[in-house]
């Protein structure tokens, strides 16, 4: 996880600001990061991931079963922890006047023909890492970028 640490922290910080309307910089102190790391670190062979991959039509039933199991357990799965954290963040204390992306999204009306259903496989952190690597290896492009900025 140290490989893209700064990009991961920056990406999550931007996502929290845009999607949740969080203010200030929370890089390296974002309460969502430990839970996100735990979810991402889970191998594809993990039973939960394997079940959802093998039986995508039964995701709702798998979710309900896991929720039941989590009530019997002393530890909560990271997905449920993150869900609870997001619900608290979205609900807020009711005093915020900022409009976050979720507010804008809920107010928007979009024609289905306007939606681009790209695969979204590239993550922000990987993209930033690629750009930095490319710029580090192509000083001429780096110089041109600096001049244009």
């Amino acid at each position: 996880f140290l490989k893209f640490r700064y990009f991961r922290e920056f990406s999550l910080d931007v996502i929290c600001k845009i999607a949740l309307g969080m203010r200030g910089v929370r890089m390296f102190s974002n309460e969502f990061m430990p839970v996100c790391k735990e979810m991402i670190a889970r191998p594809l062979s993990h039973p939960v991931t394997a079940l959802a991959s093998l039986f995508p039509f039964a995701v709702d039933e798998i979710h309900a079963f896991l929720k039941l199991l989590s009530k019997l357990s002393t530890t909560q799965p990271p997905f449920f922890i993150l869900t609870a954290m997001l619900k608290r963040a979205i609900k807020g204390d009711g005093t915020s006047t900022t409009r976050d992306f979720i507010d804008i999204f809920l107010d928007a009306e979009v024609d289905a023909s306007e939606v681009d259903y790209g695969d979204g496989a590239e993550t922000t952190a990987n993209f930033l890492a690629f750009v930095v690597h490319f710029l580090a290896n192509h000083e001429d492009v780096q110089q041109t970028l600096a001049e244009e900025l």
Side-chain angles (χ1 to χ4, degrees):
F1 285 110
L2 294 175
K3 189 174 185 182
F4 298 115
R5 182 174 181 209
Y6 289 91
F7 296 127
R8 224 181 356 267
E9 291 283 346
F10 177 72
S11 299
L12 185 59
D13 199 51
V14 170
I15 289 167
C16 286
K17 286 177 184 176
I18 293 171
L20 302 174
M22 290 184 174
R23 295 180 177 258
V25 176
R26 296 190 183 188
M27 287 179 61
F28 306 105
S29 63
N30 192 316
E31 62 271 18
F32 291 102
M33 185 56 78
V35 180
C36 290
K37 277 184 182 180
E38 190 175 344
M39 286 179 59
I40 292 169
R42 187 171 277 181
L44 293 176
S45 61
H46 189 278
V48 173
T49 308
L51 278 173
S53 298
L54 291 171
F55 306 105
F57 55 86
V59 169
D60 290 338
E61 290 79 5
I62 294 169
H63 184 265
F65 177 70
L66 292 174
K67 201 167 193 174
L68 177 66
L69 283 179
S70 72
K71 289 180 181 179
L72 303 174
S73 174
T74 57
T75 60
Q76 290 285 319
F79 175 78
F80 293 122
I81 295 170
L82 182 61
T83 302
M85 292 171 73
L86 288 171
K87 284 180 182 178
R88 281 193 306 273
I90 291 168
K91 183 178 179 184
D93 60 6
T95 61
S96 176
T97 58
T98 61
R99 287 182 45 86
D100 58 36
F101 185 75
I102 293 173
D103 292 328
I104 295 167
F105 181 75
L106 291 173
D107 292 341
E109 291 183 27
V110 178
D111 184 356
S113 64
E114 298 176 33
V115 179
D116 176 19
Y117 292 102
D119 64 11
E122 271 301 316
T123 65
T124 304
N126 285 336
F127 174 75
L128 289 171
F130 172 78
V131 170
V132 170
H133 177 76
F134 179 83
L135 290 172
N137 288 298
H138 296 87
E139 290 183 30
D140 57 324
V141 177
Q142 188 180 119
Q143 183 61 37
T144 303
L145 177 64
E147 289 169 5
E148 288 184 19
L149 290 174

